[in-house]
Amino acid sequence: MKFRAKMIDVGCLNHFTRVVNTISKLTKTCILRLTPNNLYFVLSGKVASGGVGMWCELSQANFFDEYQLEGVAPDANEICLEVTPENLSRALRTSQNAKCVKIKLTKKHCPCLTLVAELPTLSSVSRVVTHDIPVDVIPRRLWHDFKEPRMPDFDVSIYLPPLKTMKNVVDRMKNLSNFLVMEANLNGEMNLKIETDLVSVTTHFKDLGNPPWGDDGSQGRSQSRDPEVMAHTRVDIRKLQQFLMGQQVNPSKAMCNIVHKRIIHLILLHEDVSLQYFIPAVA
Amino acid sequence: MDCVVTGGNVKVLAKAIHSLSRIGDELYLEPQEDGLALRSVNSSRSAYACFLFSPLFFSRYTIPLGHAFRCKMAIKCVQAVFRSLSSLEKTVEKCHIELDGEKSRLTFTLHCKHGLLKTHNLSFQDSESLQAVFDKESCANMLRAQPRLLVDTVLHFPPSLEEVSVSVSGERVWFRNHVDDEAEQSKAMLTELCLSSDEFDHFAVGAQTSITFCLKELRGLLVFAESTGLPVSMYFDESGSPVVLSVTDSVLEVNFVLATLSDDSNLCNHNNNTKRARSPPPPDDFMTDDIDSYLIAMETSELAGPSDALAPRSPSPNHTLTTPPSVAMRRLERGEEEEEEDTEDTERPPNKKFRSLFFGSVCPSDSQLTNQTIKSQEVLASDSEDDTQASLP
């Protein structure tokens, strides 16, 4: 198993750092899958993460100038690691002006992702910062847990309102209730609702637009749907808040698929990064 | 005592106090002939800091004649005087520090713009001398760097990091985070920064060495150094010996003395002996039975007049054992737990002598005490605490 990658471009470094920062705000630990073409930050949606699932895909060519990977076996040319994204975030944070950042898989006191940044100095010799981030190697037999999640058969798919606005609304709602209902219809309308014994609050969004998914099979259910009918799902408000808090960059596209009473599937697309986040329904 | 600080120096004084607050809870103040010394020490005696402002720093510097005056106060109180640094800069024209001997108060008067006067009366406790034992010049290793370099270095470590290890060898120095918890070692992220000797103003390294000390206290000094732009010098020997960090200019000398881990100990805090102080760490609570009986025994031994001439305490490069062999004890009504300095006053009844337990002092051995015959107990002033102590056998 071997992994070495190098980043030279400051813009790429900044962008990568922002992605890692976002991931670090979403979860304490996650799986990092390294394949010849992509990097994935994955949360498998099991009980341990509160049922929340995450799939973040980066195309390595958009970030790294050099990228060498030798997976666990020739027919399984990838590496699967459990990492704490906060460590990676910390390591990257102070290396933003580095001339060059190298990441490699090493074996120190335990398997580590080692990040080496060469920082510019006035003298002829660079300052070198080395961060050894302990990781756990995930054995092949567990890899099936970390495959790309299937797009659920959603009832409604809708573009999200500006994330900042949503965050402000959800932040205030969180003070009143632990659970929030998100509902949307094919008419571009979305409501965020909370209801307690004393009060119920609903925020309405209109004219959001619905993504044109086209005619593939998974959209069967939504084709014949009455555009006025809302599909709704009740979720733990903190999970939604956590998702919204972590977003550092405005995505080019932000949308949400709702499976009635089952799951909320949030999708954010940036130029070279895609992030999917699954929040399960609560009773 | 009567000192006046003007203009930009007020801010320097304020920063010094803020810096000292990161070390300990009490500020020890001592006007000396060579300047005003502000000191602090942490509760485990593993970190000590001293800011010595020379008389030239002040526009007026008058110290009490004859006897030495030393006091200590809660540092938070002094910080409150210099609370907002940015407004200090803009509004304070001078700061006047005076001692009101009668009321045991130190008065800080800030003369601000538009004729505004802010007067703070801080009460103090008399205290014994506080000085760490260290000798910079004899250290095998010395590095001097612009504060910016060190600030940039510690930036790579999280604010929560307790201890940092510094290793030197030949032309390089490494800063690493120190992980001392066994359980954490396998899971902790390790960060290492390597600097070349080029980046330092001065780089004198003996043998390959590695020391570990508390980062928090270093940060306290760096904040001060960065604001003054003065280079920071680091003097150290092998692990276990304290590291001395200094910032010096013509009117100011700052020394931070930090204990370092010796190879076989786990944490700075557990190893008070790394400070080369010969005494055992002083108990925090002086009202324990042992101390009481000890105090009483001492009370009755060397009765004498005003305190003897005190050992010289000027901060020359060779700091030797500084606490004088006998530190007179004031009447117990003043700060009941403290062994206090005699602020000479010939009208007071004869003072008792007592050996301070702080830095570098030597306690009499037990045998000395038991040999003394208990003479009549002189109660100098009545006070409820006094009475209970005096009544102990």
Side-chain angles (χ1 to χ4, degrees):
Chain A
M1 264 201 308
K2 197 170 107 165
F3 172 66
R4 307 165 79 89
K6 188 161 132 180
M7 254 188 291
I8 302 182
D9 182 79
V10 162
C12 293
L13 180 55
N14 290 343
H15 194 17
F16 187 71
T17 306
R18 278 197 299 269
V19 174
V20 174
N21 287 345
T22 301
I23 303 291
S24 70
K25 294 200 167 70
L26 290 175
T27 177
K28 277 188 90 171
T29 61
C30 71
I31 303 298
L32 173 61
R33 267 185 68 187
L34 302 166
T35 69
N37 294 323
N38 295 311
L39 291 92
Y40 305 93
F41 290 95
V42 185
L43 255 189
S44 71
K46 296 272 161 61
V47 176
S49 52
V52 164
M54 176 185 74
W55 179 266
C56 179
E57 185 173 321
L58 294 87
S59 158
Q60 63 88 350
N62 287 331
F63 295 92
F64 298 95
D65 295 284
E66 280 173 35
Y67 188 93
Q68 292 166 31
L69 177 83
E70 264 174 43
V72 293
D75 60 331
N77 196 19
E78 63 178 76
I79 299 176
C80 216
L81 306 167
E82 186 176 11
V83 301
T84 303
E86 170 63 32
N87 286 342
L88 197 49
S89 181
R90 252 208 290 133
L92 289 165
R93 189 173 308 152
T94 51
S95 310
Q96 289 304 292
N97 60 340
K99 295 197 279 202
C100 148
V101 172
K102 294 187 202 137
I103 306 182
K104 41 187 185 175
L105 188 60
T106 57
K107 180 106 200 294
K108 304 261 166 116
H109 50 282
C110 65
C112 285
L113 260 189
T114 297
L115 206 123
V116 180
E118 254 180 67
L119 303 169
T121 63
L122 296 171
S123 78
S124 53
V125 184
S126 301
R127 243 179 253 174
V128 176
V129 177
T130 309
H131 298 272
D132 290 313
I133 302 166
V135 296
D136 278 324
V137 179
I138 303 289
R140 213 167 141 184
R141 58 193 158 80
L142 297 176
W143 286 10
H144 57 271
D145 276 343
F146 310 115
K147 292 283 173 224
E148 176 160 11
R150 278 188 37 198
M151 176 88 76
D153 282 342
F154 52 82
D155 295 295
V156 170
S157 179
I158 189 165
Y159 286 117
L160 289 171
L163 293 179
K164 198 155 171 228
T165 311
M166 266 187 87
K167 177 179 170 318
N168 285 339
V169 169
V170 173
D171 279 349
R172 279 151 186 75
M173 286 181 164
K174 180 172 167 298
N175 293 332
L176 298 168
S177 170
N178 285 334
F179 301 104
L180 172 144
V181 171
M182 182 187 277
E183 62 179 23
N185 64 20
L186 288 172
N187 240 355
E189 290 168 346
M190 172 194 275
N191 300 330
L192 297 174
K193 307 201 303 197
I194 54 160
E195 193 168 317
T196 68
D197 290 340
L198 295 175
V199 66
S200 59
V201 182
T202 308
T203 303
H204 304 267
F205 297 94
K206 320 194 288 197
D207 298 329
L208 294 173
N210 302 86
W213 281 103
D215 284 326
D216 38 333
S218 64
Q219 275 58 253
R221 261 151 76 173
S222 59
Q223 294 293 34
S224 50
R225 198 186 163 81
D226 178 355
E228 289 295 323
V229 173
M230 294 277 182
H232 69 253
T233 304
R234 188 164 179 261
V235 296
D236 182 335
I237 204 173
R238 284 164 299 190
K239 299 199 165 83
L240 181 59
Q241 191 196 33
Q242 198 171 14
F243 173 77
L244 294 167
M245 266 197 329
Q247 301 314 312
Q248 297 201 327
V249 190
N250 275 330
S252 8
K253 278 204 167 74
M255 61 194 100
C256 169
N257 297 340
I258 302 182
V259 180
H260 187 65
K261 291 191 183 173
R262 293 280 306 282
I263 202 166
I264 294 179
H265 177 203
L266 298 148
I267 308 174
L268 303 183
L269 298 174
H270 305 253
E271 263 176 31
D272 30 27
V273 180
S274 73
L275 175 62
Q276 296 180 50
Y277 202 70
F278 300 83
I279 308 180
V282 296
Chain B
M1 174 181 127
D2 193 343
C3 311
V4 177
V5 183
T6 46
N9 283 354
V10 178
K11 195 171 174 196
V12 176
L13 180 64
K15 288 201 161 162
I17 288 165
H18 288 300
S19 201
L20 285 165
S21 71
R22 300 191 50 172
I23 298 279
D25 295 328
E26 286 174 321
L27 177 68
Y28 289 74
L29 188 143
E30 185 173 349
Q32 299 165 182
E33 268 182 37
D34 56 348
L36 180 68
L38 298 178
R39 303 186 177 98
S40 189
V41 70
N42 71 356
S43 53
S44 55
R45 300 294 188 269
S46 60
Y48 158 95
C50 173
F51 284 74
L52 181 68
F53 296 95
S54 93
L56 293 171
F57 178 82
F58 302 87
S59 53
R60 187 195 322 155
Y61 185 70
T62 318
I63 57 171
L65 296 169
H67 69 88
F69 165 71
R70 301 183 196 106
C71 69
K72 66 178 184 179
M73 332 175 228
I75 206 166
K76 282 195 160 43
C77 299
V78 191
Q79 269 185 297
V81 177
F82 299 99
R83 194 187 301 278
S84 162
L85 288 175
S86 52
S87 75
L88 265 181
E89 204 173 6
K90 291 181 200 139
T91 59
V92 177
E93 287 161 2
K94 66 180 186 184
C95 170
H96 186 191
I97 309 174
E98 306 176 71
L99 167 64
D100 182 347
E102 273 172 55
K103 296 187 191 160
S104 284
R105 288 199 306 211
L106 213 52
T107 304
F108 287 77
T109 310
L110 298 178
H111 296 247
C112 308
K113 278 193 188 150
H114 312 302
L116 192 67
L117 283 179
K118 292 186 200 172
T119 308
H120 299 257
N121 293 313
L122 303 180
S123 54
F124 57 78
Q125 291 172 326
D126 289 341
S127 83
E128 63 304 307
S129 172
L130 178 77
Q131 273 223 11
V133 177
F134 62 97
D135 179 5
K136 286 191 288 201
E137 304 304 324
S138 74
C139 286
N141 307 296
M142 195 276 231
L143 309 175
R144 179 160 57 237
Q146 293 302 313
R148 186 75 240 166
L149 177 70
L150 295 174
V151 168
D152 284 347
T153 299
V154 302
L155 214 59
H156 290 274
F157 300 98
S160 57
L161 179 65
E162 294 270 327
E163 282 136 14
V164 68
S165 292
V166 178
S167 308
V168 285
S169 166
E171 300 285 306
R172 299 258 187 279
V173 60
W174 290 266
F175 287 78
R176 294 184 189 97
N177 62 324
H178 176 81
V179 181
D180 52 24
D181 186 344
E182 290 293 325
E184 268 188 43
Q185 263 174 18
S186 57
K187 280 294 139 198
M189 178 169 144
L190 297 178
T191 300
E192 177 190 283
L193 175 59
C194 177
L195 302 170
S196 98
S197 56
D198 282 1
E199 301 212 60
F200 290 82
D201 294 353
H202 185 91
F203 193 93
V205 162
Q208 188 173 2
T209 321
S210 186
I211 54 170
T212 302
F213 54 91
C214 279
L215 186 54
K216 174 182 151 220
E217 281 119 16
L218 171 63
R219 288 187 208 265
L221 173 64
L222 289 182
V223 168
F224 180 82
E226 211 195 352
S227 67
T228 58
L230 295 168
V232 178
S233 303
M234 197 163 129
Y235 301 83
F236 54 101
D237 276 320
E238 72 286 347
S239 60
S241 297
V243 53
V244 182
L245 297 142
S246 291
V247 173
T248 317
D249 84 355
S250 52
V251 294
L252 170 63
E253 185 182 333
V254 185
N255 285 308
F256 272 54
V257 184
L258 307 177
T260 65
L261 283 186
S262 59
D263 289 332
D264 53 10
S265 68
N266 266 332
L267 285 171
C268 290
N269 298 341
H270 295 167
N271 206 349
N272 295 323
N273 295 329
T274 60
K275 295 218 64 156
R276 284 195 215 149
R278 293 180 223 166
S279 66
D284 286 330
D285 176 17
F286 281 12
M287 298 310 268
T288 59
D289 285 344
D290 294 337
I291 285 298
D292 282 346
S293 50
Y294 174 59
L295 282 174
I296 299 308
M298 278 311 295
E299 218 178 67
T300 59
S301 56
E302 303 157 277
L303 298 179
S307 59
D308 300 337
L310 303 170
R313 286 179 327 279
S314 56
S316 60
N318 262 315
H319 290 260
T320 51
L321 176 58
T322 53
T323 311
S326 58
V327 173
M329 181 166 73
R330 173 167 290 286
R331 286 171 288 175
L332 289 170
E333 69 180 280
R334 287 261 201 114
E336 53 246 1
E337 304 95 283
E338 303 304 324
E339 291 71 46
E340 290 148 353
E341 195 59 21
D342 171 28
T343 58
E344 180 199 56
D345 184 342
T346 48
E347 285 156 354
R348 295 219 178 92
N351 291 291
K352 314 293 177 150
K353 288 192 183 161
F354 182 76
R355 292 176 191 274
S356 166
L357 291 177
F358 284 108
F359 284 146
S361 66
V362 176
C363 299
S365 60
D366 283 338
S367 57
Q368 254 181 297
L369 298 174
T370 52
N371 285 341
Q372 304 284 352
T373 52
I374 309 277
K375 298 178 187 137
S376 58
Q377 308 254 340
E378 269 190 59
V379 178
L380 299 178
S382 59
D383 172 287
S384 56
E385 272 80 13
D386 254 338
D387 287 339
T388 49
Q389 283 181 13
S391 67
L392 287 170

